[in-house]
Amino acid sequence: MPYVGFAFTSAALDFLGTLPPKLRKQVIKKAKALHANPHPQGSKKLHDVVTDDGDPVYRERSGDYRILYVVRSNPDEVLILDIDHRKDVYRMPKTKAEPADDMKMKEADFDAIMSKALGVSAPQDDEEKPAKRLSSYPPNKRGKS
């Protein structure tokens, strides 16, 4: 009997958006199969990993990707917490923290602090410099044979 509720978190949906269509279809198919059978053969309960509500976290494989999910009993639902590549998915807690707005500094303020600390003035980008050639071959002289 399928569970009543089935949902993806925003982290799982964000990752699905980055996958190529073929892999996305494969992972979604595997995740949706959890709705009918939340404990398929091959799924594992992660040791010492629980949600804030105390629900155990399970793992299901889908190729090189792992689906982390919880099964809740009241109401009966399956919640897909995260989907990621197998090398990255177990790094708990998974955060992509960015500094708060009050911690960000304007470039001019940074240049002023660094010039004071180093005793040199900040570089000026008023004039454009020609792009530096990265090739070790001499420039191609067209018209000369």
Side-chain angles (χ1 to χ4, degrees):
M1 179 176 138
Y3 274 59
V4 174
F6 182 77
F8 290 85
T9 61
S10 60
L13 291 175
D14 290 344
F15 183 76
L16 282 174
T18 65
L19 287 177
K22 183 178 179 182
L23 291 174
R24 183 180 317 133
K25 186 176 180 180
Q26 166 194 324
V27 171
I28 289 174
K29 182 179 178 183
K30 195 72 144 181
K32 284 186 176 180
L34 294 172
H35 185 242
N37 181 11
H39 301 290
Q41 183 178 358
S43 70
K44 288 189 175 182
K45 179 180 172 183
L46 300 180
H47 296 279
D48 299 326
V49 179
V50 294
T51 63
D52 294 338
D53 299 332
D55 297 319
V57 177
Y58 295 89
R59 180 269 292 154
E60 176 65 13
R61 293 178 175 176
S62 180
D64 285 342
Y65 297 92
R66 300 296 181 260
I67 302 166
L68 300 182
Y69 65 99
V70 295
V71 180
R72 295 186 175 149
S73 58
N74 193 10
D76 292 340
E77 66 180 354
V78 176
L79 178 63
I80 307 297
L81 297 175
D82 201 3
I83 301 170
D84 210 338
H85 193 272
R86 63 190 175 110
K87 67 178 176 148
D88 299 325
V89 76
Y90 299 114
R91 295 181 183 162
M92 296 287 195
K94 186 175 178 187
T95 59
K96 296 179 183 169
E98 293 195 18
D101 288 337
D102 58 340
M103 296 297 287
K104 293 182 181 177
M105 183 181 294
K106 294 179 183 170
E107 186 176 352
D109 295 338
F110 177 77
D111 288 343
I113 291 171
M114 293 307 290
S115 64
K116 185 177 177 183
L118 298 174
V120 295
S121 62
Q124 302 297 322
D125 291 334
D126 293 339
E127 54 188 66
E128 289 188 29
K129 298 176 184 174
K132 184 177 179 181
R133 285 183 36 98
L134 298 177
S135 174
S136 61
Y137 293 103
N140 188 7
K141 306 280 185 184
R142 295 186 188 242
K144 292 186 178 182
S145 300

mmCIF file of all heavy atoms in Angstrom, residues 100-114 122:
data_model
loop_
_atom_site.group_PDB
_atom_site.id
_atom_site.type_symbol
_atom_site.label_atom_id
_atom_site.label_comp_id
_atom_site.label_asym_id
_atom_site.label_seq_id
_atom_site.Cartn_x
_atom_site.Cartn_y
_atom_site.Cartn_z
ATOM 1 N N ALA A 100 26.966 36.387 6.074
ATOM 2 C CA ALA A 100 25.815 37.269 6.224
ATOM 3 C C ALA A 100 26.116 38.608 5.557
ATOM 4 O O ALA A 100 27.269 38.982 5.366
ATOM 5 C CB ALA A 100 25.511 37.467 7.696
ATOM 6 N N ASP A 101 25.087 39.359 5.194
ATOM 7 C CA ASP A 101 25.275 40.628 4.493
ATOM 8 C C ASP A 101 26.117 41.609 5.295
ATOM 9 O O ASP A 101 26.892 42.370 4.723
ATOM 10 C CB ASP A 101 23.918 41.263 4.176
ATOM 11 C CG ASP A 101 23.205 40.515 3.065
ATOM 12 O OD1 ASP A 101 23.893 39.826 2.283
ATOM 13 O OD2 ASP A 101 21.968 40.612 2.981
ATOM 14 N N ASP A 102 25.980 41.600 6.623
ATOM 15 C CA ASP A 102 26.754 42.534 7.428
ATOM 16 C C ASP A 102 28.233 42.152 7.484
ATOM 17 O O ASP A 102 29.066 42.947 7.893
ATOM 18 C CB ASP A 102 26.178 42.664 8.829
ATOM 19 C CG ASP A 102 26.117 41.343 9.571
ATOM 20 O OD1 ASP A 102 26.147 40.290 8.912
ATOM 21 O OD2 ASP A 102 26.040 41.368 10.810
ATOM 22 N N MET A 103 28.568 40.933 7.060
ATOM 23 C CA MET A 103 29.963 40.498 7.046
ATOM 24 C C MET A 103 30.638 40.788 5.707
ATOM 25 O O MET A 103 31.849 40.719 5.600
ATOM 26 C CB MET A 103 30.060 39.002 7.337
ATOM 27 C CG MET A 103 29.576 38.614 8.722
ATOM 28 S SD MET A 103 30.558 39.348 10.018
ATOM 29 C CE MET A 103 32.040 38.391 9.883
ATOM 30 N N LYS A 104 29.864 41.119 4.671
ATOM 31 C CA LYS A 104 30.442 41.404 3.363
ATOM 32 C C LYS A 104 31.052 42.796 3.369
ATOM 33 O O LYS A 104 30.571 43.705 4.027
ATOM 34 C CB LYS A 104 29.380 41.298 2.269
ATOM 35 C CG LYS A 104 28.895 39.872 2.081
ATOM 36 C CD LYS A 104 27.894 39.801 0.975
ATOM 37 C CE LYS A 104 27.395 38.376 0.819
ATOM 38 N NZ LYS A 104 26.367 38.271 -0.212
ATOM 39 N N MET A 105 32.113 42.969 2.593
ATOM 40 C CA MET A 105 32.812 44.236 2.567
ATOM 41 C C MET A 105 32.876 44.727 1.122
ATOM 42 O O MET A 105 33.059 43.940 0.196
ATOM 43 C CB MET A 105 34.235 44.018 3.106
ATOM 44 C CG MET A 105 35.055 45.277 3.199
ATOM 45 S SD MET A 105 36.719 44.949 3.823
ATOM 46 C CE MET A 105 36.385 44.424 5.476
ATOM 47 N N LYS A 106 32.744 46.031 0.951
ATOM 48 C CA LYS A 106 32.848 46.616 -0.379
ATOM 49 C C LYS A 106 34.303 46.573 -0.816
ATOM 50 O O LYS A 106 35.225 46.638 -0.003
ATOM 51 C CB LYS A 106 32.339 48.050 -0.373
ATOM 52 C CG LYS A 106 30.853 48.138 -0.091
ATOM 53 C CD LYS A 106 30.398 49.566 -0.073
ATOM 54 C CE LYS A 106 28.926 49.637 0.270
ATOM 55 N NZ LYS A 106 28.490 50.993 0.520
ATOM 56 N N GLU A 107 34.492 46.481 -2.130
ATOM 57 C CA GLU A 107 35.846 46.376 -2.677
ATOM 58 C C GLU A 107 36.690 47.592 -2.315
ATOM 59 O O GLU A 107 37.873 47.466 -1.976
ATOM 60 C CB GLU A 107 35.778 46.209 -4.194
ATOM 61 C CG GLU A 107 37.121 45.953 -4.830
ATOM 62 C CD GLU A 107 37.025 45.693 -6.321
ATOM 63 O OE1 GLU A 107 35.912 45.566 -6.852
ATOM 64 O OE2 GLU A 107 38.091 45.626 -6.949
ATOM 65 N N ALA A 108 36.104 48.778 -2.347
ATOM 66 C CA ALA A 108 36.844 50.003 -2.020
ATOM 67 C C ALA A 108 37.311 49.984 -0.562
ATOM 68 O O ALA A 108 38.444 50.392 -0.260
ATOM 69 C CB ALA A 108 35.981 51.224 -2.289
ATOM 70 N N ASP A 109 36.452 49.498 0.347
ATOM 71 C CA ASP A 109 36.835 49.413 1.761
ATOM 72 C C ASP A 109 37.970 48.414 1.949
ATOM 73 O O ASP A 109 38.904 48.651 2.709
ATOM 74 C CB ASP A 109 35.641 49.008 2.619
ATOM 75 C CG ASP A 109 34.537 50.058 2.629
ATOM 76 O OD1 ASP A 109 34.845 51.236 2.332
ATOM 77 O OD2 ASP A 109 33.393 49.683 2.937
ATOM 78 N N PHE A 110 37.886 47.291 1.246
ATOM 79 C CA PHE A 110 38.934 46.280 1.334
ATOM 80 C C PHE A 110 40.261 46.844 0.826
ATOM 81 O O PHE A 110 41.307 46.661 1.450
ATOM 82 C CB PHE A 110 38.537 45.045 0.516
ATOM 83 C CG PHE A 110 39.584 43.979 0.486
ATOM 84 C CD1 PHE A 110 39.777 43.148 1.577
ATOM 85 C CD2 PHE A 110 40.393 43.807 -0.627
ATOM 86 C CE1 PHE A 110 40.742 42.170 1.559
ATOM 87 C CE2 PHE A 110 41.365 42.832 -0.649
ATOM 88 C CZ PHE A 110 41.539 42.009 0.445
ATOM 89 N N ASP A 111 40.213 47.550 -0.329
ATOM 90 C CA ASP A 111 41.433 48.143 -0.880
ATOM 91 C C ASP A 111 42.042 49.152 0.087
ATOM 92 O O ASP A 111 43.268 49.219 0.246
ATOM 93 C CB ASP A 111 41.143 48.807 -2.227
ATOM 94 C CG ASP A 111 40.895 47.793 -3.335
ATOM 95 O OD1 ASP A 111 41.264 46.609 -3.149
ATOM 96 O OD2 ASP A 111 40.337 48.173 -4.378
ATOM 97 N N ALA A 112 41.200 49.949 0.756
ATOM 98 C CA ALA A 112 41.710 50.944 1.698
ATOM 99 C C ALA A 112 42.402 50.271 2.884
ATOM 100 O O ALA A 112 43.488 50.688 3.299
ATOM 101 C CB ALA A 112 40.558 51.829 2.185
ATOM 102 N N ILE A 113 41.805 49.228 3.417
ATOM 103 C CA ILE A 113 42.395 48.517 4.551
ATOM 104 C C ILE A 113 43.712 47.856 4.145
ATOM 105 O O ILE A 113 44.716 47.940 4.859
ATOM 106 C CB ILE A 113 41.405 47.472 5.102
ATOM 107 C CG1 ILE A 113 40.223 48.176 5.761
ATOM 108 C CG2 ILE A 113 42.093 46.530 6.086
ATOM 109 C CD1 ILE A 113 39.092 47.253 6.136
ATOM 110 N N MET A 114 43.714 47.211 2.984
ATOM 111 C CA MET A 114 44.931 46.523 2.534
ATOM 112 C C MET A 114 46.044 47.512 2.194
ATOM 113 O O MET A 114 47.210 47.251 2.485
ATOM 114 C CB MET A 114 44.624 45.627 1.335
ATOM 115 C CG MET A 114 43.733 44.448 1.682
ATOM 116 S SD MET A 114 44.327 43.453 3.062
ATOM 117 C CE MET A 114 45.754 42.684 2.348
ATOM 118 N N ALA A 122 46.339 51.036 -3.679
ATOM 119 C CA ALA A 122 45.568 50.000 -4.371
ATOM 120 C C ALA A 122 45.776 50.130 -5.875
ATOM 121 O O ALA A 122 45.951 51.231 -6.392
ATOM 122 C CB ALA A 122 44.092 50.140 -4.032
#
